[in-house]
Amino acid sequence: MKTYNFCYETGPLQSIIDFSIFEHEKNILIQIFCGQNQEILKYLSDVLLDQIPHAICIGTTTDGEIYGKAITTLQTVISISIFEHTSIKTAYTHDEDSFQCGLKLASDLITPMTKLLILFSDGTKMNAEEFLKGVESFNSSIPICGGMAGDNGKFEQTYISSQHTILSEGVVGVSLNSDILKVVTNYKFDWKPIGLEHTITKVHDNRVYLIDGMKASYFYDKYLGSNFSRIEFPLILEKNNITMARAVIAKHEDGSLSYSGNFIEGDKVKIGFGDAESLMKDPIEVLENLQSINVETFFVFSCMARRRFMPFLIKLGIGSFSKTAATSGFFTYSEFYHQNGHNKLLNQTLTVVALSESSKSPSPIIKPNEKDDTKNASYSKAITSLTHLIEQSACDYEKQSKQLEKQIKYSQNLLASHKQFLRYTVHEMNTPLSVIMSSIELHEMEFGSNVYLENIEVAVKSIFSMYDDLSYLVKKDHIHYVKQKIDLVDYVRSRIDFFAQVADKAKSMFFFETNCNEIYILFNETKLQRIIDNNLTNAIKYTFENEKIIVSLHKEDNNCHFCIASHSRKIQEPEKIFEEYYREELSQDGFGLGLNLVKRICKEENVKITLHSNENITSFSYQFKVDNQ
């Protein structure tokens, strides 16, 4: 076989191509890699088929063209391959279902002699991964190559062609059918995952809605900024032992993003970054299996990101192929590849197809000129160092994150154990406390009161109050607290009676006043007890000796004000008094949890709190809604 490559910009096509070369050839494949527009693609297809009517012609718009050792943009490369012992078939389809497109195209193209499929799809509408699955479902053994059409990075409208037909969506392809054609394919992926691993949490095919539970666009804003590069920082994942990248091709108003390939919920991904050191390695040396045949033609289909990331490096790599055999191709929006019985949609990848009908032994690969390797050396070294810095920083960050994750897991287990211990302790405390209280009452009934037993009873009541707080904290997230109609006057009196003995031991006393005999509220009794008990016990704890604790209930319209006032030290930081673990006087016992618990309950139940404190008096007031039904 032999391939002729031409570069077109303007003017008549006959001025650059001598069509007489192809007059007597039978098996001719024309590929048009068009970096211009739909009209040019149509014009060239028509002229080429008019001049070589027996040729098979397919084409695609691009994000750059490969012309021998050169890379062009906004021009068109025409590749004309002549085969001696290979027949060529072409077909196209534009079914709405991407899978069906692949199935139909494969059934139209594949024969028992098929050695290779060259496939082009539109670059913005086709779900190329589903398309490739459709091809694979018909035949999973035939190598494929090609890619998704480009439109110079606009992601607006791409075109493909088969013979005289121009398509804005769908797929076109050719099959190369022969018993002697040798086909070797390989690919080079030079992007590395960096940073933490992330999880795709909501997705439909290639449209991702949530990553790590946040909108996909917000995820990129967080890590790359609002003006992130769609193509140079793809998401990287591994499937079937192939590392693949998925670049963003569209952003939607709801914050979701469309990618060049599919994801499934639960996929683990990392953000990718170009590895300069790997990019600088000559592909023809790295891709060793390309040297297994006497190559007569190279077709190269490379991701657009590679051209835009480091243009001079990509140019050097492409040039290596052209020194061995005729080379052409284009920069795609995604690349098609076949490995181990599976068709793959790749990104950020250089894919290469080597073809030969020759029976000769492989010719030695021509290595690049050493002078070419030194071009832009200082810039290359700087980029390599930067890449190494990013990679090493990411490794260090990941290591620290894993250590932190391990510590967090340990802390969570420890906290869970503590909670379990606390639940068990609270549960077991109730019985001995009840036994102590009932024993004191029985002893007083039989032998009368006793100063020592009074002290014990006061202490037990204090413990009961703490027990009730702990019991509420342990159970509050697991129990639904039902509201009921409660007479607040009667309830407050009962709690004052319970703590009267405790107040007496602290050399203070309660004074209760109300403007109503009955005041009903709709409230949960457990929550109400926590509000009242914590305020009563705090008043006992902080009121000066021989001073009254004034407890009042006053009804005003549809509100009832419950207030506890006493003569105690002025609260120095009233804004902190409801915080966890804060105590105004460190000499006093306790954990500072009571008032924080009161605040949380009041917030849940829309109870307004008012605090007043000066040198003469400190008061806590709570406003409840009266139930008038």
Side-chain angles (χ1 to χ4, degrees):
M1 69 171 294
K2 190 170 184 179
T3 296
Y4 300 86
N5 295 319
F6 308 92
C7 186
Y8 175 83
E9 193 166 2
T10 59
L13 193 56
Q14 290 85 343
S15 65
I16 63 171
I17 300 178
D18 179 6
F19 286 104
S20 64
I21 300 172
F22 311 105
E23 285 182 5
H24 304 293
E25 302 295 341
K26 293 182 179 180
N27 303 310
I28 301 173
L29 170 63
I30 303 174
Q31 296 179 80
I32 305 172
F33 307 118
C34 180
Q36 292 167 292
N37 53 47
Q38 175 192 11
E39 288 74 23
I40 297 296
L41 179 59
K42 175 64 174 170
Y43 163 73
L44 294 176
S45 299
D46 290 344
V47 172
L48 286 164
L49 289 170
D50 181 61
Q51 295 293 324
I52 318 174
H54 54 289
I56 297 295
C57 179
I58 60 172
T60 177
T61 52
T62 73
D63 188 62
E65 307 79 49
I66 297 167
Y67 175 53
K69 65 179 182 179
I71 291 174
T72 67
T73 57
L74 305 177
Q75 298 182 46
T76 298
V77 170
I78 301 167
S79 175
I80 305 178
S81 298
I82 301 171
F83 294 89
E84 293 183 14
H85 307 287
T86 301
S87 64
I88 309 161
K89 289 182 68 177
T90 185
Y92 68 88
T93 181
H94 47 82
D95 194 294
E96 289 185 3
D97 185 293
S98 298
F99 182 91
Q100 290 301 319
C101 275
L103 181 60
K104 185 176 186 308
L105 194 70
S107 64
D108 289 342
L109 292 177
I110 294 175
T111 74
M113 302 287 285
T114 299
K115 289 292 193 298
L116 177 70
L117 295 178
I118 303 175
L119 309 170
F120 303 150
S121 79
D122 75 77
T124 55
K125 301 179 181 68
M126 176 66 59
N127 186 323
E129 192 156 8
E130 291 300 311
F131 160 65
L132 294 181
K133 287 179 181 177
V135 174
E136 184 182 315
S137 71
F138 185 83
N139 189 306
S140 62
S141 64
I142 295 176
I144 64 170
C145 65
M148 300 183 76
D151 61 350
N152 297 303
K154 298 174 185 175
F155 293 95
E156 294 173 355
Q157 183 64 67
T158 63
Y159 296 93
I160 50 178
S161 68
S162 175
Q163 299 301 88
H164 293 284
T165 302
I166 307 295
L167 301 172
S168 62
E169 55 185 286
V171 290
V172 302
V174 297
S175 63
L176 302 183
N177 309 287
S178 173
D179 57 357
I180 67 167
L181 180 68
K182 300 179 182 66
V183 178
V184 177
T185 65
N186 212 330
Y187 75 99
K188 189 169 183 279
F189 182 69
D190 302 305
W191 258 247
K192 284 189 174 181
I194 58 174
L196 294 175
E197 189 174 68
H198 306 281
T199 303
I200 303 296
T201 45
K202 185 179 179 182
V203 62
H204 179 71
D205 293 334
N206 68 329
R207 185 165 176 174
V208 176
Y209 294 89
L210 299 176
I211 304 174
D212 287 345
M214 72 180 83
K215 285 187 177 180
S217 59
Y218 295 170
F219 171 84
Y220 279 88
D221 290 345
K222 177 180 179 180
Y223 289 101
L224 297 174
S226 57
N227 295 318
F228 68 90
S229 170
R230 289 183 177 184
I231 57 168
E232 292 174 22
F233 296 94
L235 294 182
I236 293 182
L237 71 162
E238 186 171 309
K239 285 189 176 181
N240 298 321
N241 297 319
I242 293 183
T243 302
M244 296 181 291
R246 294 287 179 260
V248 177
I249 59 173
K251 182 178 180 180
H252 305 285
E253 290 184 1
D254 61 0
S256 63
L257 300 173
S258 289
Y259 286 80
S260 52
N262 291 352
F263 290 99
I264 60 173
E265 201 167 290
D267 271 345
K268 303 296 182 182
V269 298
K270 289 187 177 184
I271 294 174
F273 181 75
D275 179 5
E277 187 174 356
S278 179
L279 280 163
M280 284 189 289
K281 292 179 180 177
D282 188 81
I284 208 161
E285 292 185 0
V286 174
L287 308 179
E288 294 180 354
N289 69 334
L290 298 179
Q291 305 174 30
S292 62
I293 63 174
N294 186 34
V295 183
E296 294 176 314
T297 295
F298 283 119
F299 294 141
V300 179
F301 306 101
S302 180
C303 180
M304 64 179 292
R306 301 174 71 89
R307 180 181 72 79
R308 293 170 179 264
F309 186 66
M310 286 186 180
F312 73 89
L313 289 179
I314 300 305
K315 185 177 180 180
L316 291 176
I318 297 298
S320 297
F321 294 112
S322 64
K323 291 175 182 177
T324 301
T327 301
S328 61
F330 76 106
F331 289 91
T332 76
Y333 281 177
S334 286
E335 305 79 61
F336 302 157
Y337 192 71
H338 179 89
Q339 186 178 59
N340 300 327
H342 295 285
N343 293 336
K344 297 297 179 183
L345 181 70
L346 306 178
N347 284 129
Q348 326 305 114
T349 307
L350 174 77
T351 61
V352 185
V353 179
L355 299 179
S356 177
E357 288 184 316
S358 171
S359 59
K360 296 179 182 178
S361 300
S363 301
I365 294 293
I366 301 174
K367 294 185 178 181
N369 192 315
E370 290 184 4
K371 291 182 180 180
D372 291 340
D373 289 338
T374 61
K375 290 181 180 179
N376 300 288
S378 59
Y379 178 67
S380 301
K381 289 178 181 178
I383 293 296
T384 302
S385 298
L386 178 60
T387 304
H388 183 74
L389 173 63
I390 293 172
E391 185 180 7
Q392 188 58 49
S393 298
C395 288
D396 292 344
Y397 180 54
E398 187 171 10
K399 184 178 180 181
Q400 291 172 356
S401 297
K402 286 181 178 179
Q403 290 175 343
L404 181 60
E405 186 179 348
K406 187 177 180 180
Q407 291 171 355
I408 290 172
K409 189 174 182 180
Y410 173 77
S411 299
Q412 288 174 336
N413 291 336
L414 187 62
L415 183 60
S417 299
H418 285 177
K419 285 183 177 179
Q420 185 63 31
F421 173 75
L422 187 59
R423 290 192 192 98
Y424 175 79
T425 303
V426 168
H427 177 73
E428 293 299 317
M429 278 175 63
N430 187 50
T431 301
L433 285 174
S434 300
V435 170
I436 293 170
M437 287 297 292
S438 60
S439 297
I440 291 171
E441 291 173 2
L442 290 170
H443 189 278
E444 288 180 344
M445 290 172 60
E446 187 171 351
F447 301 104
S449 61
N450 178 300
V451 65
Y452 299 112
L453 287 178
E454 286 178 2
N455 290 338
I456 294 172
E457 186 174 1
V458 167
V460 171
K461 286 183 176 180
S462 297
I463 295 173
F464 253 121
S465 179
M466 288 187 288
Y467 164 79
D468 287 336
D469 278 348
L470 287 172
S471 180
Y472 175 79
L473 286 168
V474 167
K475 297 176 183 178
K476 69 182 181 66
D477 296 326
H478 308 282
I479 294 178
H480 175 63
Y481 289 97
V482 180
K483 294 181 180 180
Q484 63 189 81
K485 200 169 185 177
I486 300 173
D487 180 0
L488 196 54
V489 176
D490 182 63
Y491 194 83
V492 170
R493 276 202 183 103
S494 70
R495 301 315 297 166
I496 288 174
D497 290 343
F498 183 83
F499 288 109
Q501 193 177 12
V502 180
D504 184 62
K505 286 293 179 181
K507 296 181 181 180
S508 60
M509 62 178 294
F510 290 115
F511 181 81
F512 179 60
E513 59 182 20
T514 178
N515 65 349
C516 294
N517 292 326
E518 295 178 340
I519 303 174
Y520 285 97
I521 63 172
L522 190 64
F523 219 85
N524 175 263
E525 184 178 349
T526 300
K527 290 186 175 183
L528 181 62
Q529 184 180 341
R530 302 285 35 84
I531 294 173
I532 294 171
D533 284 11
N534 273 291
N535 279 275
L536 293 177
T537 54
N538 275 349
I540 294 170
K541 189 183 297 181
Y542 292 103
T543 299
F544 295 146
E545 288 185 2
N546 302 314
E547 293 285 350
K548 291 180 180 179
I549 300 170
I550 302 169
V551 183
S552 62
L553 284 172
H554 291 282
K555 182 181 177 183
E556 294 179 5
D557 299 325
N558 292 321
N559 296 316
C560 175
H561 298 275
F562 166 62
C563 180
I564 296 182
S566 64
H567 188 197
S568 60
R569 293 182 186 277
K570 179 184 177 181
I571 295 176
Q572 300 299 317
E573 297 186 79
E575 70 281 356
K576 291 186 177 181
I577 200 69
F578 289 98
E579 292 181 6
E580 276 186 309
Y581 308 113
Y582 177 78
R583 286 180 291 152
E584 190 78 12
E585 297 180 29
L586 296 178
S587 60
Q588 292 287 355
D589 295 331
F591 297 105
L593 293 172
L595 285 180
N596 178 262
L597 177 59
V598 168
K599 181 182 178 182
R600 281 194 276 175
I601 293 173
C602 289
K603 186 177 180 180
E604 291 170 5
E605 303 299 335
N606 295 316
V607 175
K608 184 181 178 182
I609 305 173
T610 304
L611 168 62
H612 174 76
S613 183
N614 58 29
E615 286 76 8
N616 297 316
I617 194 167
T618 293
S619 66
F620 289 82
S621 181
Y622 301 85
Q623 180 179 295
F624 294 86
K625 288 287 182 183
V626 174
D627 182 28
N628 293 315
Q629 295 183 352

